[in-house]
Amino acid sequence: MKKVMLTLFILVILTLAACSGNETTESTGTLSPIPADYAGLTNPLGADAAMAGADVFTNNCAACHGQQGHGDGPASTALDPAPKNLPELSTTVADDYLFWRISTGKQGTAMTAWKGVLTDEQIWQVVSFIRTLK
Ligand code: HEC
């Protein structure tokens, strides 16, 4: 009898663990977790940085992402996966996510790391600009 109780107990624990696991996946969707170095960062610049960010974006990002960030730049048709629609992504993620992705890129895609190419300030400017896209 004790063994049956123990087995039941373990089953309950396993079920609970599985459920809480699912919850985590659902709440973050398909987005990857932000590494500790970047998690919680907030944009130190004001909304007016978006003007400078527009220039950074035109010069470095628009060829793939398109001028309005819809993922339809001239180079986009050759890419698999295609560049993200940034205004859409922007509604689902915080500043730390955008800053991290732009800084370190995304493995397995044409999205390269911009840290070292752009300054941190320029990356934050571009984050401000992405926030203005619709
Ligand atoms: C050579 C083409 C190319 C250039 C240039 C480029 N990107 Fe990307 N970008 C991509 C691709 C491809 C993806 C991946 C889309 C996916 O995973 O579905 C991506 C993804 C992203 C993402 C989302 C990553 C995620 O979590 O899914 C952001 C944000 C982003 N780019 C911003 C930028 C910014 C800002 C610049 C300019 C500084 C830039 N990109 C330049 C091709 C490019």
Side-chain angles (χ1 to χ4, degrees), residues 84-118:
K84 274 261 154 72
N85 180 317
L86 297 178
E88 218 172 83
L89 177 72
S90 176
T91 62
T92 65
V93 297
D95 288 346
D96 53 354
Y97 186 93
L98 292 173
F99 185 78
W100 162 55
R101 268 297 188 225
I102 299 163
S103 296
T104 66
K106 190 169 181 185
Q107 258 187 3
T109 78
M111 179 65 187
T112 53
W114 291 90
K115 194 177 173 65
V117 180
L118 302 174

Short mmCIF file of all heavy atoms in Angstrom, two decimals, residues 84-118:
data_model
loop_
_atom_site.label_atom_id
_atom_site.label_comp_id
_atom_site.label_asym_id
_atom_site.label_seq_id
_atom_site.Cartn_x
_atom_site.Cartn_y
_atom_site.Cartn_z
N LYS A 84 12.55 39.63 -39.71
CA LYS A 84 11.35 39.82 -38.89
C LYS A 84 10.62 41.12 -39.24
O LYS A 84 11.22 42.09 -39.63
CB LYS A 84 11.75 39.92 -37.42
CG LYS A 84 11.87 38.59 -36.73
CD LYS A 84 10.62 38.27 -35.92
CE LYS A 84 10.42 36.78 -35.75
NZ LYS A 84 11.38 36.18 -34.83
N ASN A 85 9.30 41.08 -39.05
CA ASN A 85 8.51 42.30 -39.07
C ASN A 85 8.72 42.98 -37.71
O ASN A 85 8.23 42.52 -36.69
CB ASN A 85 7.03 41.96 -39.28
CG ASN A 85 6.16 43.20 -39.32
OD1 ASN A 85 6.33 44.11 -38.52
ND2 ASN A 85 5.23 43.22 -40.24
N LEU A 86 9.45 44.07 -37.71
CA LEU A 86 9.87 44.67 -36.44
C LEU A 86 8.75 45.37 -35.67
O LEU A 86 8.69 45.24 -34.45
CB LEU A 86 11.07 45.60 -36.67
CG LEU A 86 12.32 44.85 -37.19
CD1 LEU A 86 13.45 45.83 -37.44
CD2 LEU A 86 12.76 43.75 -36.24
N PRO A 87 7.83 46.13 -36.33
CA PRO A 87 6.74 46.71 -35.55
C PRO A 87 5.90 45.64 -34.84
O PRO A 87 5.46 45.84 -33.71
CB PRO A 87 5.91 47.49 -36.58
CG PRO A 87 6.50 47.24 -37.90
CD PRO A 87 7.86 46.63 -37.70
N GLU A 88 5.73 44.49 -35.50
CA GLU A 88 4.96 43.40 -34.90
C GLU A 88 5.70 42.85 -33.68
O GLU A 88 5.11 42.69 -32.60
CB GLU A 88 4.81 42.30 -35.96
CG GLU A 88 3.49 41.59 -35.97
CD GLU A 88 3.41 40.68 -37.19
OE1 GLU A 88 3.93 39.55 -37.13
OE2 GLU A 88 2.86 41.15 -38.22
N LEU A 89 7.00 42.56 -33.86
CA LEU A 89 7.80 42.05 -32.75
C LEU A 89 7.82 43.05 -31.60
O LEU A 89 7.75 42.69 -30.42
CB LEU A 89 9.23 41.78 -33.23
CG LEU A 89 10.22 41.31 -32.17
CD1 LEU A 89 9.93 39.88 -31.76
CD2 LEU A 89 11.66 41.44 -32.66
N SER A 90 7.89 44.33 -31.96
CA SER A 90 8.01 45.41 -30.99
C SER A 90 6.87 45.43 -29.98
O SER A 90 7.05 45.84 -28.84
CB SER A 90 8.07 46.73 -31.75
OG SER A 90 8.10 47.81 -30.89
N THR A 91 5.68 44.97 -30.40
CA THR A 91 4.54 44.98 -29.48
C THR A 91 4.64 43.86 -28.45
O THR A 91 3.91 43.88 -27.45
CB THR A 91 3.19 44.82 -30.23
OG1 THR A 91 3.20 43.55 -30.88
CG2 THR A 91 2.99 45.92 -31.25
N THR A 92 5.50 42.87 -28.69
CA THR A 92 5.53 41.71 -27.80
C THR A 92 6.77 41.64 -26.92
O THR A 92 6.86 40.78 -26.06
CB THR A 92 5.45 40.40 -28.62
OG1 THR A 92 6.65 40.29 -29.41
CG2 THR A 92 4.26 40.37 -29.53
N VAL A 93 7.77 42.49 -27.15
CA VAL A 93 9.02 42.39 -26.38
C VAL A 93 9.38 43.74 -25.75
O VAL A 93 8.95 44.80 -26.20
CB VAL A 93 10.20 41.92 -27.26
CG1 VAL A 93 9.95 40.52 -27.79
CG2 VAL A 93 10.48 42.89 -28.39
N ALA A 94 10.22 43.66 -24.71
CA ALA A 94 10.70 44.87 -24.03
C ALA A 94 12.02 45.32 -24.64
O ALA A 94 12.61 44.62 -25.48
CB ALA A 94 10.85 44.59 -22.54
N ASP A 95 12.50 46.48 -24.19
CA ASP A 95 13.73 47.06 -24.72
C ASP A 95 14.93 46.10 -24.60
O ASP A 95 15.77 46.05 -25.49
CB ASP A 95 14.08 48.33 -23.94
CG ASP A 95 13.15 49.48 -24.28
OD1 ASP A 95 12.43 49.37 -25.30
OD2 ASP A 95 13.16 50.47 -23.54
N ASP A 96 15.00 45.38 -23.46
CA ASP A 96 16.17 44.51 -23.26
C ASP A 96 16.26 43.45 -24.34
O ASP A 96 17.34 43.13 -24.82
CB ASP A 96 16.19 43.89 -21.85
CG ASP A 96 14.91 43.16 -21.47
OD1 ASP A 96 13.94 43.22 -22.24
OD2 ASP A 96 14.91 42.54 -20.39
N TYR A 97 15.10 42.93 -24.78
CA TYR A 97 15.09 41.92 -25.84
C TYR A 97 15.64 42.50 -27.15
O TYR A 97 16.52 41.90 -27.79
CB TYR A 97 13.67 41.38 -26.07
CG TYR A 97 13.65 40.23 -27.06
CD1 TYR A 97 13.74 38.92 -26.62
CD2 TYR A 97 13.58 40.48 -28.44
CE1 TYR A 97 13.76 37.87 -27.54
CE2 TYR A 97 13.60 39.44 -29.34
CZ TYR A 97 13.68 38.13 -28.89
OH TYR A 97 13.71 37.11 -29.81
N LEU A 98 15.15 43.66 -27.53
CA LEU A 98 15.60 44.27 -28.79
C LEU A 98 17.09 44.60 -28.73
O LEU A 98 17.85 44.30 -29.66
CB LEU A 98 14.79 45.55 -29.07
CG LEU A 98 13.31 45.33 -29.40
CD1 LEU A 98 12.58 46.66 -29.49
CD2 LEU A 98 13.14 44.55 -30.70
N PHE A 99 17.53 45.20 -27.62
CA PHE A 99 18.94 45.58 -27.48
C PHE A 99 19.83 44.34 -27.55
O PHE A 99 20.88 44.35 -28.21
CB PHE A 99 19.15 46.32 -26.15
CG PHE A 99 20.55 46.84 -25.98
CD1 PHE A 99 20.96 47.99 -26.64
CD2 PHE A 99 21.46 46.18 -25.18
CE1 PHE A 99 22.27 48.47 -26.49
CE2 PHE A 99 22.76 46.65 -25.02
CZ PHE A 99 23.17 47.80 -25.68
N TRP A 100 19.41 43.26 -26.89
CA TRP A 100 20.19 42.01 -26.90
C TRP A 100 20.28 41.43 -28.31
O TRP A 100 21.36 41.11 -28.80
CB TRP A 100 19.53 40.99 -25.96
CG TRP A 100 19.95 39.59 -26.21
CD1 TRP A 100 21.24 39.11 -26.24
CD2 TRP A 100 19.11 38.47 -26.50
NE1 TRP A 100 21.23 37.76 -26.53
CE2 TRP A 100 19.95 37.35 -26.69
CE3 TRP A 100 17.72 38.31 -26.61
CZ2 TRP A 100 19.44 36.07 -26.99
CZ3 TRP A 100 17.22 37.04 -26.90
CH2 TRP A 100 18.07 35.95 -27.09
N ARG A 101 19.15 41.34 -29.01
CA ARG A 101 19.14 40.73 -30.33
C ARG A 101 19.98 41.53 -31.32
O ARG A 101 20.73 40.96 -32.11
CB ARG A 101 17.71 40.64 -30.86
CG ARG A 101 17.02 39.36 -30.54
CD ARG A 101 17.71 38.20 -31.19
NE ARG A 101 16.93 36.99 -31.02
CZ ARG A 101 17.43 35.82 -30.66
NH1 ARG A 101 18.71 35.68 -30.45
NH2 ARG A 101 16.65 34.77 -30.55
N ILE A 102 19.83 42.82 -31.28
CA ILE A 102 20.58 43.65 -32.22
C ILE A 102 22.07 43.58 -31.88
O ILE A 102 22.92 43.50 -32.77
CB ILE A 102 20.05 45.11 -32.21
CG1 ILE A 102 18.58 45.13 -32.63
CG2 ILE A 102 20.88 45.99 -33.14
CD1 ILE A 102 17.84 46.42 -32.28
N SER A 103 22.41 43.53 -30.61
CA SER A 103 23.82 43.47 -30.20
C SER A 103 24.47 42.15 -30.62
O SER A 103 25.59 42.14 -31.11
CB SER A 103 23.95 43.62 -28.69
OG SER A 103 23.50 44.89 -28.29
N THR A 104 23.78 41.05 -30.39
CA THR A 104 24.43 39.74 -30.56
C THR A 104 23.95 38.95 -31.77
O THR A 104 24.50 37.90 -32.06
CB THR A 104 24.27 38.88 -29.29
OG1 THR A 104 22.90 38.56 -29.12
CG2 THR A 104 24.77 39.60 -28.05
N GLY A 105 22.92 39.44 -32.47
CA GLY A 105 22.45 38.74 -33.66
C GLY A 105 21.65 37.50 -33.33
O GLY A 105 21.32 37.25 -32.18
N LYS A 106 21.33 36.72 -34.36
CA LYS A 106 20.53 35.51 -34.16
C LYS A 106 21.14 34.38 -34.97
O LYS A 106 21.14 34.42 -36.21
CB LYS A 106 19.09 35.77 -34.58
CG LYS A 106 18.15 34.67 -34.19
CD LYS A 106 16.71 35.10 -34.39
CE LYS A 106 15.76 34.00 -33.98
NZ LYS A 106 14.37 34.35 -34.28
N GLN A 107 21.65 33.38 -34.26
CA GLN A 107 22.32 32.26 -34.92
C GLN A 107 21.38 31.54 -35.88
O GLN A 107 20.20 31.40 -35.61
CB GLN A 107 22.80 31.27 -33.85
CG GLN A 107 24.29 31.40 -33.62
CD GLN A 107 24.81 30.31 -32.69
OE1 GLN A 107 24.08 29.44 -32.27
NE2 GLN A 107 26.09 30.40 -32.40
N GLY A 108 21.94 31.11 -37.01
CA GLY A 108 21.16 30.36 -37.97
C GLY A 108 20.33 31.25 -38.88
O GLY A 108 19.53 30.76 -39.67
N THR A 109 20.49 32.57 -38.76
CA THR A 109 19.80 33.50 -39.64
C THR A 109 20.82 34.51 -40.18
O THR A 109 21.97 34.53 -39.76
CB THR A 109 18.68 34.28 -38.92
OG1 THR A 109 19.28 35.34 -38.15
CG2 THR A 109 17.85 33.40 -38.01
N ALA A 110 20.37 35.36 -41.10
CA ALA A 110 21.26 36.38 -41.66
C ALA A 110 21.46 37.56 -40.71
O ALA A 110 22.19 38.49 -41.01
CB ALA A 110 20.69 36.87 -42.99
N MET A 111 20.79 37.52 -39.56
CA MET A 111 20.89 38.60 -38.58
C MET A 111 22.22 38.50 -37.84
O MET A 111 22.42 37.61 -37.03
CB MET A 111 19.71 38.52 -37.60
CG MET A 111 19.72 39.59 -36.54
SD MET A 111 19.50 41.22 -37.25
CE MET A 111 19.76 42.24 -35.82
N THR A 112 23.14 39.43 -38.15
CA THR A 112 24.48 39.39 -37.55
C THR A 112 24.51 40.24 -36.29
O THR A 112 23.61 41.04 -36.04
CB THR A 112 25.52 39.91 -38.55
OG1 THR A 112 25.09 41.20 -39.01
CG2 THR A 112 25.66 38.99 -39.74
N ALA A 113 25.57 40.10 -35.52
CA ALA A 113 25.77 40.89 -34.30
C ALA A 113 26.23 42.29 -34.69
O ALA A 113 27.14 42.46 -35.50
CB ALA A 113 26.79 40.22 -33.41
N TRP A 114 25.61 43.29 -34.07
CA TRP A 114 25.96 44.69 -34.40
C TRP A 114 26.83 45.34 -33.35
O TRP A 114 27.30 46.45 -33.52
CB TRP A 114 24.68 45.50 -34.65
CG TRP A 114 24.04 45.04 -35.92
CD1 TRP A 114 23.11 44.05 -36.07
CD2 TRP A 114 24.34 45.50 -37.25
NE1 TRP A 114 22.82 43.87 -37.40
CE2 TRP A 114 23.55 44.75 -38.15
CE3 TRP A 114 25.20 46.47 -37.78
CZ2 TRP A 114 23.59 44.94 -39.53
CZ3 TRP A 114 25.23 46.67 -39.16
CH2 TRP A 114 24.44 45.90 -40.01
N LYS A 115 27.03 44.63 -32.24
CA LYS A 115 27.93 45.14 -31.20
C LYS A 115 29.33 45.21 -31.79
O LYS A 115 29.81 44.25 -32.38
CB LYS A 115 27.90 44.21 -30.00
CG LYS A 115 28.51 44.79 -28.74
CD LYS A 115 28.37 43.81 -27.58
CE LYS A 115 29.13 44.29 -26.36
NZ LYS A 115 28.59 45.54 -25.81
N GLY A 116 29.99 46.36 -31.67
CA GLY A 116 31.31 46.51 -32.27
C GLY A 116 31.24 47.22 -33.61
O GLY A 116 32.16 47.93 -34.00
N VAL A 117 30.13 47.01 -34.33
CA VAL A 117 29.90 47.74 -35.58
C VAL A 117 29.22 49.06 -35.24
O VAL A 117 29.63 50.13 -35.69
CB VAL A 117 29.01 46.91 -36.55
CG1 VAL A 117 28.77 47.66 -37.84
CG2 VAL A 117 29.63 45.54 -36.79
N LEU A 118 28.17 48.96 -34.44
CA LEU A 118 27.48 50.15 -33.93
C LEU A 118 27.85 50.32 -32.46
O LEU A 118 28.15 49.34 -31.77
CB LEU A 118 25.96 49.96 -34.04
CG LEU A 118 25.40 49.70 -35.44
CD1 LEU A 118 23.90 49.40 -35.36
CD2 LEU A 118 25.66 50.88 -36.37
#
